[in-house]
Each structure stands twice: as C-alpha cells, then as structure tokens.
C-alpha cells in the first residue's frame, strides 16, 4: 500500500544518519522524531488506519531510537528508554524488548514509577526490577560524587580534605540507600497489586501511607484496591482525601465517579464531571465521569457515547472498556459486552475484569469459555475469594455434560463457593450464590441458616469495636441486602412463611429506609397476604395503560 511504501522510503532516509556520531542536539532530535512516529501510530487507531501500518510505525520508531541512540551511548537518557519501552509494548511480540527498555529507564532514573508499573504489567520478575532500581540509585550516587569533586576543583592533595570528601561520599551513599527504601516498598506493593494479592498490597500501601502521609499517589493506589475489595465506603473516603490534598487531580477520578453513581449522589457526580472537564478535557477520566452522570439519569445511549469518547482519548485505559462492558451487559447485549471485557482483560488482567468476562460468557451461553476464564482468574490470584467465586458461579449456571451429572456439578459449585467464603467470610457474592443453589434445590433450611449466620456476622462488623478495622461500613451496607434475601426465601418457601418475610422486610427498611428492593418486596408481600397475585395485578395495569 502507499502508506507502507512511504514508510519504507522514510526508513531508508532515517537509517542513513543512524551510524553517524550524534551530538546532544541530534540525539534530542532523534527523540522528538520518534515521538512523532509514535503519535502517528497511536493516531492510526483512532482514524481507522490498518493495524499492520500502525505496527510498522511503532516498530520503526523503536528501532530508529535504539540504533541511533543505543543503550551504550552516553547521550541516552531515561526518556529515550521510556519511549522505546512504550513503542515495543504496543507492538505485538516485542514484550522482551519492552522489558529491557523499561529496565534501562530504571537504571537511569530509579524513581521512574511509570516504568515500574509497566514492568509489573509485562510480568517482569520482581528481582530484576529491584536490581535495576539498585543500579539506578548507585548511578545517582556516583553522579553526585562526581559533581561534588567537580565543585571542589578535583583537589585531592590535602589529607583533611580527602577525609571530609570521603565522609561526604559515605553520607551521600547512605542517604541514597535510605532513599531507595521507599521506592523498593512502592515497587513491592505494585507487584502485589498486579498479582491480584489485594490484602497484602493494601497492607503494604497503608504502611507507606503511615510513613508518608497525604501522598496523593499512594492514596490513589489504596482507593483502587479498596474498590477491588468491594469496600466502597472506604474507597470514597480515600478519594475524598486525595481531592482535599490535590483538588486539581484527575487521575483515578473516573473510579470515584463510579462510586458516586452507584451511591446515587447525582449532584456530586455532576459537579465532579464538570470540574474534571474544566481541568483537562483531553484525558479519559472527565468524559467517563460525564458518561456515568448520564447513566445515573438512566440514559445509557449518552453514557456509552461519552465513554466511547474517553476510549478514543486513551485506548489503553482498562477501566473505560470494563465500564462500557458492564453497561452493555445490563442492556442485555452480552456479545457486545464480551468484546469490551476482552479488550479490558488484554490491558489489565485483574479480577474485576475477569468478573465481567465470566458474566458476559454466561449471558452469551458460552459456558465452557466462562469456566476457562474463571480458572484463569484463579491462576492469577489463587487465594482471592472473588476468583474462587467465579468458578462456583460458572459451575452453578452451566448445564452439565449429561443430565445425570447435575447433582455432582452442583456439589462442585457449592464446594468452590464455600472455599471462597472460607477465604473471605464477609464476601457477599459467594454467599448469595450459595444461597441461590440451596433455594433452587428446595433446601430452605440451609439457605436460611447461611443468611442468619451472615446477619450475625455483619452485626458484629457494624459494632463500634470493629469501626477501626473498616468493617463497620461493610456491615451496614450488607445487612439490608441480607434481610431482603431472607424475606424472599421465606416468601418463596413451600409452604411460605409470610410472618417471617414481613419481619425481615421491616428489618431491612430499619437498616436502610431507602432500600427500593425492600419497599417493592414489602408491597408484593402485602398483596400476597391479602390473597392477590401481584403479577396478575401488574399485567392488568399494563394492559389498561396500553388500552388507554
């Protein structure tokens, strides 16, 4: 094609100067030139250019950069290596080159957190990253020593001066080693997070927060992990701290917007989206927040339109793909949702993405694929209750290979869900899935026992003694849902127990007066107790509205 021919012609022109000795100005020019090629490759995705051409642009830019300003060149900076890493990472089959480039960037600048995050995403060994960090700090210490000698005029004749210089050097090396500790801890926490070890990562970041309070970067990481752990109240408080520290922060505010949307805080969400757009309308977060604002108003079409705008600004932002998939899944469009979740999973293999992927597969009737995705989630996070839950859900909602295997498959599903509850006793999803299985089997006693045990557990979690542990908010949020599910079980039992169901709905409303599910269930229950069929009443009202 013409694009490839033009690319090859430009390649020949660029390669003529590669082997020539470069001065700093020319090295900087090569960097800018390759940045232009990189932007052309990214722009190609937006304007619909062939993916093969985009890959050619990215590969060409990376090779020109590495050949014209190689890693051995004294003109090479961490910016060259970061750009090379970015280019290789968006090129299929060049992950090893991307790792080498990002490691080289760390050796040149040990505090380049962007390189650490990309190395974690690419699956680099933690030991390799820690060694590159140590090399980077050693290089920084060496440069500081050389600078000190240059400032002293290189005078090594006086013994006293030598002692002082040696003491200064030792102090600087000690200082550099001490400075390395925070970045090592941040790196360890990042790797724990990327391996879906949420509890350990949260603990590591909280230690960093205690040592370095009011650090927006650390707080954003804590908030994201709290979201993944379903601690929405804790995540909201953490994001509020971030906004108090830096009111102009845009990073991570799309996740904060989702919390406000789920909470129903539409006014706050509107102010947030408006403020983010005023700060920077070229990032995906403001447009995602605006999409969530329209979603809160039940306008899915506008929500998807704004989320598509966010994706066009940054196709590597996993959260927007996952959010779009969730909206499409709620609209009963599982095949379209599946594409979004697969894109999100390619970018970030976290459990939240796997959850959407499994749900989309199940809704599409692709049960084998759902089970495979659930097993992948377990492989990435063997001790995560959410991953274990996915296997149980996939087994419970998939038809058996033969009718005689229904009971055995049901037992396997229950075993997986019980294992998830053993890992995290406060997890609602495996509990509700286990209750659904018992209810479907007609074992009302087992379902009620599970829910009553959970109610007692959340009562303890909601006590003042547990407030410091962060369980108090969790308990208050869960108890009304547990009472509602208990009421449904009593209503659908054979024979039904309307008195217990009525008591449970009242308890749910006492915990959360605005619980719509409890209000609707109570109205339905009162109709049943009055001898009326609420489903027939609903159909009659719909027919009369149509006739009118």
């Amino acid at each position: 094609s013409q694009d490839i021919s033009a690319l090859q012609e430009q390649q020949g022109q660029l390669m003529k100067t590669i082997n020539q000795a470069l001065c700093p100005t020319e090295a900087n020019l090569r960097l800018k030139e390759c940045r232009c090629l990189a932007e052309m490759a990214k722009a190609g995705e937006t304007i619909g250019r062939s993916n093969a051409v985009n890959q050619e642009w990215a590969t060409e830019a990376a090779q020109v950069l590495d050949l014209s300003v190689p890693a051995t060149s004294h003109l090479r900076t961490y910016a060259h290596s970061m750009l090379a890493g970015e280019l290789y990472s968006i090129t299929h089959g060049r992950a090893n080159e991307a790792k080498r480039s990002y490691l080289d960037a760390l050796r040149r600048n040990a505090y380049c957190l962007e390189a650490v995050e990309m190395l974690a995403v690419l699956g680099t060994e933690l030991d390799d990253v820690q060694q590159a960090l140590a090399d980077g700090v050693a290089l920084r210490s060496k440069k500081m020593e050389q600078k000190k000698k240059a400032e002293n005029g290189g005078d090594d004749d006086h013994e006293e001066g030598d002692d002082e210089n040696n003491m200064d050097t030792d102090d600087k090396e000690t200082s550099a080693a001490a400075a390395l500790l925070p970045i090592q801890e941040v790196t360890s926490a990042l790797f724990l997070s990327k391996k879906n070890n949420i509890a350990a990562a949260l603990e590591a970041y909280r230690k960093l927060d205690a040592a370095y309070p009011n650090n927006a970067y650390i707080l954003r990481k804590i908030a994201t992990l709290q979201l993944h752990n379903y601690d929405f109240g804790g995540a909201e408080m953490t994001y509020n701290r971030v906004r108090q520290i830096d009111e102009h922060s845009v990073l991570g505010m799309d996740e904060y917007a989702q919390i406000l949307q789920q909470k129903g805080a539409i006014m706050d969400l509107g102010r947030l989206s408006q403020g983010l757009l005023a700060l920077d309308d070229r990032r995906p977060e403001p447009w995602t927040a605006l999409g969530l604002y329209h979603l809160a108003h039940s306008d899915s079409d506008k929500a998807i339109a704004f989320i598509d705008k966010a994706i066009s600004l940054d196709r590597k932002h996993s959260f927007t793909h996952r959010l779009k998939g969730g909206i499409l899944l709620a609209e009963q469009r599982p095949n379209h949702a599946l594409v979004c979740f697969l894109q999100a999973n390619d970018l970030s293999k976290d459990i939240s993405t796997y959850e959407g992927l499994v749900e989309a597969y199940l809704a599409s009737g692709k049960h084998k694929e759902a089970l495979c995705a659930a097993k992948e989630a377990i492989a990435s996070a063997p001790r995560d209750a959410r991953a274990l839950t996915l296997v149980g859900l996939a087994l419970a909602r998939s038809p058996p290979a033969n009718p005689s295997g229904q009971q055995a498959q049901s037992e396997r599903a229950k075993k997986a869900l019980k294992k998830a509850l053993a890992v995290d006793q406060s997890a609602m999803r495996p509990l509700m899935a286990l209750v659904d299985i018992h209810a479907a089997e007609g074992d009302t006693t087992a379902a009620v026992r599970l829910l009553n045990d959970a109610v007692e557990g959340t009562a303890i979690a909601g006590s003042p003694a547990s407030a410091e542990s962060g369980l108090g908010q969790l308990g208050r949020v869960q108890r009304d849902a547990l009472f509602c599910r208990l009421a449904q079980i009593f209503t659908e039992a054979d024979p039904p127990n309307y008195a217990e169901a009525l008591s449970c709905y009242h308890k749910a409303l006492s915990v959360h007066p605005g619980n719509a599910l409890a209000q609707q269930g109570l109205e339905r229950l009162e109709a049943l107790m009055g001898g009326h069929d609420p489903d027939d009443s609903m159909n009659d009202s719909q027919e009369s509205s149509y006739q009118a």
Side-chain angles (χ1 to χ4, degrees), residues 112-426:
C112 186
L113 289 174
E114 294 87 347
V116 175
E117 294 200 21
M118 285 306 303
L119 287 165
V121 170
L122 291 167
T124 314
E125 291 294 329
L126 179 59
D127 291 342
D128 295 338
V129 178
Q130 297 285 27
Q131 183 58 53
L133 289 170
D135 293 343
V137 170
L139 178 63
R140 178 173 175 270
S141 178
K142 183 179 178 181
K143 288 182 176 178
M144 289 171 63
E145 183 181 353
Q146 290 173 345
K147 182 180 178 181
K148 181 66 176 178
K149 287 182 178 179
E151 289 174 352
N152 292 337
D155 186 5
D156 295 330
D157 295 334
H158 300 288
E159 188 174 331
E160 184 178 350
D162 288 343
D163 291 340
E164 289 178 356
N165 285 336
N166 289 335
M167 289 176 66
D168 287 341
T169 301
D170 291 341
D171 289 342
K172 283 182 168 48
E173 289 177 352
T174 303
S175 168
L180 178 60
L181 292 176
I183 192 64
Q184 282 181 328
E185 292 170 5
V186 170
T187 300
S188 298
L190 273 171
F191 272 70
L192 287 169
S193 176
K194 293 300 178 183
K195 290 181 179 179
N196 291 308
N197 194 341
I198 304 298
L202 262 174
E203 184 181 356
Y205 278 120
R206 280 177 173 145
K207 287 180 179 177
L208 286 166
D209 181 41
Y212 306 95
N214 298 327
N215 183 290
Y217 174 85
I218 293 172
L219 289 173
R220 277 195 296 267
K221 295 297 182 185
I222 291 174
T224 299
L225 290 170
Q226 287 172 322
L227 268 181
H228 289 172
N229 209 31
Y230 301 113
D231 183 6
F232 301 113
E236 182 181 5
M237 287 189 288
T238 306
Y239 274 125
N240 283 332
R241 284 182 62 193
V242 173
R243 288 182 63 77
Q244 288 171 1
I245 294 165
D246 182 6
E247 62 181 358
H248 299 106
S249 176
V250 175
L251 293 173
M253 289 300 112
D254 47 359
E255 294 182 345
Y256 179 51
Q258 187 182 38
I259 296 172
L260 296 177
Q261 180 260 327
Q262 292 175 343
K263 185 183 175 183
I266 298 178
M267 295 292 290
D268 292 338
L269 181 56
R271 283 191 292 268
L272 175 66
S273 58
Q274 185 177 6
L276 292 175
L277 282 168
L279 286 170
D280 190 350
D281 62 357
R282 292 175 296 176
R283 288 194 56 83
E285 291 89 348
W287 297 102
T288 303
L290 189 57
L292 285 163
Y293 176 75
H294 286 285
L295 185 63
H297 284 92
S298 302
D299 192 342
S300 298
D301 292 336
K302 280 189 178 180
I304 290 175
F306 285 120
I307 290 169
D308 282 337
K309 169 70 173 179
I311 291 172
S312 70
L313 291 170
D314 185 359
R315 295 182 179 274
K316 300 295 181 182
H317 195 47
S318 173
F319 177 79
T320 48
H321 291 287
R322 191 172 78 235
L323 180 60
K324 183 181 177 181
I327 296 172
L328 292 171
L329 194 58
E331 290 196 324
Q332 308 300 319
R333 297 164 63 185
N335 290 321
H336 293 87
L338 189 56
V339 174
C340 298
F341 286 122
L342 285 170
Q343 290 174 326
N345 190 251
D346 285 339
L347 296 169
S348 177
K349 296 187 181 298
D350 54 64
I351 301 300
S352 298
T353 301
Y354 277 114
E355 286 177 329
L357 196 57
V358 170
E359 287 290 346
Y361 275 132
L362 289 172
S364 303
K366 300 176 180 178
H367 301 102
K368 289 183 179 178
E369 290 86 346
L371 189 56
C372 288
K375 289 179 177 178
E376 277 185 31
I378 284 188
S380 68
R383 294 292 299 166
D384 193 304
R386 297 171 301 161
L388 294 166
T389 302
L390 289 178
V391 173
L393 288 172
L395 289 169
R397 292 165 58 181
S398 300
N402 53 75
S404 60
Q406 179 67 51
Q407 185 62 32
Q409 184 160 311
S410 178
E411 290 300 321
R412 289 174 60 201
K414 285 191 278 189
K415 183 179 179 181
L417 294 169
K418 287 176 182 177
K419 192 180 292 185
L421 281 171
V423 173
D424 183 3
Q425 295 180 0
S426 66

Side-chain angles (χ1 to χ4, degrees), residues 72-104:
T72 55
S73 172
H74 69 283
L75 297 174
R76 179 93 166 195
T77 66
Y78 86 94
H80 292 88
S81 297
M82 283 296 295
L83 180 58
E86 180 185 358
L87 291 165
Y88 283 129
S89 66
I90 63 176
T91 306
H92 296 309
R94 308 302 289 269
N96 289 332
E97 289 92 334
K99 290 179 186 178
R100 283 197 293 269
S101 298
Y102 285 125
L103 287 170
D104 184 64

